[in-house]
């Protein structure tokens, strides 16, 4: 017989045996599950912990001016990214990551969720151009945040103070909307692409191709070696037709003003300068523009993000009278017209005033030449009435107005040339002859962009050669590059040589005494041009509210030099500038800078020493005292050289 204590001990022993057996069964099952059932999963996970695919970002190509001077460059920086294959729960770390990198944790979570459909090996870019403190945070949290890593990248460095910002544009991370567009189908989230300007237009050329590196990392995510690497292919350089020296002159002329200045070679269509104001700093976009900065830019009534050279669609004012003169001449009307301007004229029961009415003057007898250089509204009211809107529309359209010029920049506006058919199609209303009167002086429904007006006047100055404006130098583009194909396209508009010679001769008088802008003349440079002041309200209302700056007229000027076979054409839009003569002064600053540069021949000049003088030795003969013989003389001279012009730029501002 067993005692009670012996029986209890036996039960305990049996229970302990069962427990030990159960433990071994659990351990055996776990081992079997790890080794057999999930061997592939853990094998793969172990491989991922050991080998990490790290992208190698390709630097974007530099942007140069026509002389090879640097406009846009790159600088090295570090970016923070998440390696998704190094963490099973990225969302759980969002708060700590956001705190360390100074990012809203919700933004971190948003980026993680947006990338959910991408392959696991593809990292998520969190922040570009991180600070030393943020880099130190990443290094200090290697153990806690093995998924957080850094990568060296080349960031865009743009000229300072918004120099050439609208033409160059800026880059940014490709958005979800862009990824859904066909032209971005080959890009991935996190890629940096051109958003505006030539950065966008020539994105595929500038972008290059990213590479990748297989890095060996330890359990803490630290790189301990490399297994292989596919090198990145840098983007190609892009050479522009713009001249930095001329661009500086345009930017300085437009400083603090609202408007645009465009200069072009009328022979080739090469844009020599393009400035738009007010401007913005694309360096702010190269990393990450803050929400406050963005809101400030998009709500600014002066629209600093708008490239007014190609996107502002405004009434051309009296500059349109040159187009009217061509139409009137070609139709055999203008060259025989004479009107008497006493300050106003009545058309269809309405008295329409000339601008001289508001300064208590009259033009008196006016022919076409006087109408051009004194900008007589009554003459062009009458000419418009004789031509009719459809003939005006035909010549304006032939000279490229009301349509995109085809310039190689994104988001160009088309402007508007009204006609009977246009009004019927868009408003289901007939065109009234009284409307034509105001189109004749560049008011009413007609709108143009500065680059359109530049191109049209360029064509008239060249006898009808309508070129295609472009900012990229086609000689620097790859063969068969799609953008370059149409750069050399020229449309020849049929113009009577006697007509365009007569009109451009009259344009020279605009900058002479008796013209509308004699104070803009530059001594030694013959400039032909036309001023324009475009109303934003009626002249009567403007006269009543002279102090309201919002109602000020827009000033225009378009001009070229020399009078025949010109080398440069310049168009200025001075929004709120009130008078075309003020716009003319801005244009002539650019023309003067161009001519002065052309007149420089530094390679033929003696090198100027620091003293500002040149020491020259020479021999010569002169008659002796009785005049029957010659004697040889010699000597040395020290010549003071005239002050040389200011130095030319070696790069865009801030890029030296």
């Amino acid at each position: 017989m067993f005692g009670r204590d012996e029986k209890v001990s036996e039960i305990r022993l049996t229970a302990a045996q069962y427990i030990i057996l159960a433990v071994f069964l659990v351990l055996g099952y776990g081992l079997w599950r790890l080794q057999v059932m999930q061997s592939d999963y853990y094998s793969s996970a172990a491989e991922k912990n050991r080998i990490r695919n790290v992208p190698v970002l390709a630097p974007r190509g530099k942007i140069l001016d026509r002389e090879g001077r640097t406009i846009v460059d790159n600088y090295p920086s570090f970016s923070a990214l998440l390696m998704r294959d190094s963490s099973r729960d990225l969302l759980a770390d969002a708060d700590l990551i956001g705190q360390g990198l100074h990012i809203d944790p919700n933004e971190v979570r948003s980026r993680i969720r947006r990338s959910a459909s991408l392959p696991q090996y593809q990292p998520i870019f969190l922040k570009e151009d991180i600070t030393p403190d943020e880099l130190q945070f990443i290094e200090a949290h290697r153990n806690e945040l093995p998924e957080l890593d850094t990568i060296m990248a080349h960031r865009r460095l743009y000229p300072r103070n918004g120099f050439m910002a609208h033409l160059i544009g800026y880059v940014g991370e490709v958005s979800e909307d862009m990824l859904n567009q066909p032209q971005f189908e080959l890009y991935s989230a996190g890629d940096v692409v051109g958003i505006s300007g030539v950065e966008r237009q020539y994105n595929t050329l500038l972008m290059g191709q990213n590479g990748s590196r297989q890095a060996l990392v330890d359990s803490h995510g630290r790189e301990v070696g490399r297994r292989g690497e596919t090198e990145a292919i840098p983007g190609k350089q892009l050479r522009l037709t713009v001249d930095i020296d001329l661009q500086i002159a345009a930017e300085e002329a437009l400083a603090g003003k609202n408007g645009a200045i465009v200069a072009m070679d009328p022979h080739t269509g090469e844009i020599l300068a393009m400035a738009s104001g007010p401007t913005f700093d694309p360096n702010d976009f190269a990393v990450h523009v803050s929400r406050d900065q963005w809101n400030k830019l998009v709500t600014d009534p002066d629209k600093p993000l708008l490239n007014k050279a190609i996107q502002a669609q405004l009434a051309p004012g009296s500059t349109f009278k040159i187009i009217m003169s061509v139409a009137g001449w070609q139709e055999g009307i203008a060259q025989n017209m004479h009107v008497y301007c006493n300050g106003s004229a009545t058309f269809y029961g309405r008295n329409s005033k000339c601008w001289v009415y508001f300064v208590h003057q009259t033009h008196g007898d006016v022919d076409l030449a006087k109408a051009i250089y004194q900008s007589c509204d009554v003459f062009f009211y009458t000419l418009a009435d004789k031509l009719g809107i459809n003939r005006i529309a035909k010549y304006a359209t032939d000279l490229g107005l009301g349509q995109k010029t085809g310039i190689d920049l994104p988001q160009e506006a088309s402007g508007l040339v009204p006609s009977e058919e246009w009004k019927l199609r868009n408003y289901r209303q007939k065109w009234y002859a009284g409307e034509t009167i105001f189109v004749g002086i560049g008011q009413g429904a007609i709108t143009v962009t500065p680059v359109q007006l530049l191109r049209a006047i360029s064509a008239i100055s060249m006898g009808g050669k309508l070129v295609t404006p472009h900012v990229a130098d086609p000689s620097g583009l790859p063969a068969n590059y799609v953008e370059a194909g149409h750069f050399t396209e020229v449309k020849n508009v049929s113009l009577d040589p006697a007509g365009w010679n007569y009109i451009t001769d009259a344009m020279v008088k605009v900058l002479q005494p008796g013209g509308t802008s004699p104070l803009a003349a530059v001594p030694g440079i013959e400039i032909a041009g036309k001023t324009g002041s475009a109303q934003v309200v009626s002249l009567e209302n403007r006269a009543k509210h002279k102090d309201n700056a919002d109602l000020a007229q827009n000033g225009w000027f378009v001009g070229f030099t020399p009078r025949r076979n010109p080398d440069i054409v310049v168009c200025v839009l001075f929004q709120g500038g009130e008078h075309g003569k003020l716009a003319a002064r801005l244009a002539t600053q650019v023309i003067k800078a161009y001519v002065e540069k052309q007149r420089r021949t530094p390679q033929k000049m003696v090198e100027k020493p620091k003293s500002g003088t040149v020491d020259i030795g020479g021999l010569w003969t002169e008659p002796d005292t009785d005049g029957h013989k010659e004697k040889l003389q010699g000597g040395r001279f020290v010549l003071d050289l005239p002050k040389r012009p200011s130095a030319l730029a070696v790069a865009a501002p801030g890029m030296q």
Side-chain angles (χ1 to χ4, degrees):
M1 293 294 293
F2 294 103
R4 186 174 180 276
D5 293 340
E6 291 176 331
K7 193 171 183 177
V8 170
S9 298
E10 185 177 356
I11 291 172
R12 287 177 177 173
L13 178 61
T14 302
Q17 289 172 338
Y18 278 114
I19 290 172
I20 292 171
L21 178 61
V23 169
F24 274 104
L25 286 174
V26 170
L27 291 175
Y29 172 74
L31 183 62
W32 176 76
R33 184 169 62 91
L34 289 172
Q35 295 292 331
V36 179
M37 290 186 67
Q38 297 180 324
S39 62
D40 292 342
Y41 170 79
Y42 286 104
S43 175
S44 175
E47 185 69 9
K48 288 177 182 174
N49 285 334
R50 191 169 62 85
I51 300 173
R52 171 180 289 174
N53 286 313
V54 181
V56 179
L57 302 182
R60 289 178 75 85
K62 294 172 66 173
I63 299 177
L64 313 173
D65 88 331
R66 64 187 297 115
E67 296 179 5
R69 295 172 289 185
T70 301
I71 299 174
V72 179
D73 206 341
N74 304 303
Y75 69 93
S77 75
F78 283 94
S79 294
L81 65 165
L82 285 176
M83 309 301 295
R84 291 184 295 168
D85 51 2
S86 296
S87 174
R88 301 184 67 178
D89 191 1
L90 293 173
L91 294 173
D93 296 330
D95 288 333
L96 180 57
I97 292 172
Q99 181 183 357
L101 297 182
H102 305 102
I103 310 173
D104 184 345
N106 291 327
E107 173 62 20
V108 177
R109 295 187 185 93
S110 175
R111 285 178 176 252
I112 293 171
R113 293 190 180 104
R114 287 203 302 265
S115 303
S117 61
L118 299 176
Q120 277 295 104
Y121 62 81
Q122 193 165 319
I124 303 171
F125 280 83
L126 284 181
K127 188 174 185 180
E128 301 168 346
D129 207 29
I130 58 176
T131 65
D133 287 345
E134 292 163 348
L135 186 62
Q136 188 176 12
F137 167 82
I138 295 173
E139 292 300 328
H141 290 77
R142 285 288 185 192
N143 293 342
E144 302 163 74
L145 303 170
E147 69 273 26
L148 193 57
D149 207 341
T150 60
I151 185 174
M152 200 282 281
H154 298 271
R155 296 294 158 211
R156 269 318 209 199
L157 178 62
Y158 293 105
R160 64 187 177 216
N161 299 328
F163 181 84
M164 215 188 296
H166 295 89
L167 190 152
I168 298 168
Y170 59 91
V171 296
E173 184 179 330
V174 65
S175 66
E176 287 185 74
D177 290 342
M178 295 169 76
L179 289 172
N180 293 325
Q181 299 172 23
Q183 64 266 40
F184 295 101
E185 63 182 356
L186 299 179
Y187 298 94
S188 302
D191 282 345
V192 173
V193 298
I195 303 296
S196 68
V198 296
E199 288 277 28
R200 175 164 181 168
Q201 189 77 17
Y202 292 97
N203 182 61
T204 55
L205 184 76
L206 293 165
M207 189 171 177
Q209 185 174 337
N210 293 340
S212 65
R213 185 180 76 242
Q214 286 188 315
L216 301 178
V217 296
D218 62 14
S219 59
H220 301 297
R222 291 177 296 221
E223 184 172 331
V224 294
R226 296 183 181 182
R227 193 173 184 180
E229 180 171 340
T230 303
E231 292 186 359
I233 301 174
K236 296 183 182 301
Q237 289 188 348
L238 176 64
R239 184 185 289 258
L240 302 181
T241 60
V242 174
D243 183 315
I244 285 180
D245 299 304
L246 215 56
Q247 183 72 27
I248 290 174
E251 301 264 358
E252 289 180 349
L254 196 62
K257 302 177 184 65
N258 190 356
I261 297 179
V262 199
M264 185 179 75
D265 181 339
H267 297 269
T268 62
E270 294 176 354
I271 296 296
L272 302 173
M274 178 181 286
S276 180
T279 187
F280 63 95
D281 190 348
N283 288 295
D284 293 339
F285 293 83
V287 181
H288 181 69
V289 65
S290 69
R291 187 176 297 276
D292 288 343
Q293 282 177 298
W294 177 254
N295 289 337
K296 186 178 179 182
L297 287 169
V298 297
T299 57
D300 190 326
D302 290 334
K303 303 183 185 311
L305 292 179
L306 192 74
N307 184 353
K308 297 181 175 68
I310 64 169
Q311 294 178 294
Q313 303 177 86
L314 297 167
S318 294
T319 58
F320 188 68
K321 292 171 180 173
I322 301 302
I323 313 298
M324 289 291 299
S325 300
V326 169
W329 189 284
Q330 290 297 114
E331 294 293 327
I333 301 173
Q335 56 269 50
N336 302 315
M337 260 185 62
H338 288 264
V339 301
Y340 186 85
C341 171
N342 62 5
S344 65
T346 301
F347 298 91
Y348 304 102
R350 176 173 175 171
N351 184 255
S352 299
K353 295 181 176 59
C354 182
W355 68 270
V356 292
Y357 173 88
F358 298 96
V359 291
H360 310 293
Q361 294 179 7
T362 66
H363 282 125
D365 291 319
V366 181
D367 62 3
L368 176 59
K370 185 177 179 180
I372 291 173
Y373 67 77
Q374 291 197 351
S375 200
C376 178
D377 291 336
V378 170
F379 183 94
F380 286 99
Y381 290 147
T382 307
L383 179 59
D385 192 42
K386 292 178 179 292
L387 285 169
I389 189 62
N390 287 340
R391 283 200 288 187
I392 295 172
K394 173 190 178 302
Y395 287 98
T397 303
D398 286 349
L399 288 167
L401 303 186
Q403 56 202 284
K404 296 179 181 179
T405 66
I407 192 171
D408 50 336
L409 287 173
Q411 300 174 320
E412 182 188 9
S414 60
L416 173 66
V417 173
S419 65
E420 290 181 356
E421 185 273 336
W422 164 82
K423 189 174 181 185
L424 188 62
R425 184 179 71 248
N426 289 278
Y427 296 97
R428 298 185 181 279
Q429 295 176 0
K430 65 174 291 188
W431 181 270
Y432 294 100
E435 298 175 86
T436 307
I437 306 303
F438 297 101
V439 172
I441 61 167
Q443 296 284 170
I446 187 165
T447 62
V448 302
T449 66
V451 74
Q452 282 179 345
L453 188 59
L454 174 87
R455 185 185 182 218
I457 300 301
S458 169
I460 295 169
S461 73
M462 295 292 291
K465 183 180 178 183
L466 195 66
V467 297
T468 302
H470 56 275
V471 299
D473 181 354
S475 66
L477 296 176
N480 301 322
Y481 193 77
V482 63
E483 294 292 345
H486 72 285
F487 288 173
T488 55
E489 290 178 3
V490 176
K491 179 183 175 185
N492 289 304
V493 182
S494 179
L495 298 180
D496 177 6
W500 64 266
N501 280 333
Y502 179 96
I503 292 167
T504 52
D505 286 349
M507 292 173 71
V508 172
K509 295 182 180 178
V510 169
L511 283 81
Q512 295 177 353
T516 55
S517 188
L519 295 180
V522 180
I525 304 176
E526 184 183 64
I527 301 172
K530 183 71 189 77
T531 55
S533 301
Q535 304 162 211
V536 295
V537 295
S538 69
L539 288 175
E540 290 82 357
N541 279 335
R542 178 61 186 135
K544 293 176 184 174
H545 303 91
K546 289 182 178 178
D547 297 332
N548 189 340
D550 293 337
L551 303 182
Q553 300 177 117
N554 295 325
W556 286 89
F557 181 81
V558 60
F560 50 86
T561 191
R563 177 192 326 210
R564 299 281 183 263
N565 196 29
D567 297 322
I568 183 173
V569 184
V570 178
C571 180
V572 172
L573 163 65
F574 184 3
Q575 286 186 262
E578 196 71 273
H579 303 293
K581 60 186 178 184
L582 299 181
R585 295 182 191 182
L586 308 185
T588 53
Q589 289 182 48
V590 179
I591 291 175
K592 182 170 181 261
Y594 175 82
V595 173
E596 286 183 348
K597 182 170 182 178
Q598 295 302 307
R599 288 174 177 173
R600 293 178 183 181
T601 53
Q603 69 278 13
K604 296 179 182 177
M605 294 179 67
V606 177
E607 185 68 24
K608 181 181 177 182
K610 293 182 179 178
S611 63
T613 60
V614 170
D615 192 4
I616 297 176
L619 297 173
W620 69 96
T621 60
E622 64 180 21
D624 60 10
T625 52
D626 58 12
H628 297 296
K629 295 180 181 178
E630 289 186 338
K631 60 182 180 182
L632 184 66
Q633 296 281 15
R636 301 189 70 82
F637 305 88
V638 177
L639 302 180
D640 288 326
L641 292 178
K643 184 180 178 182
R644 295 179 66 180
S646 58
L648 300 177
V650 297
M655 305 306 296
Q656 293 143 318

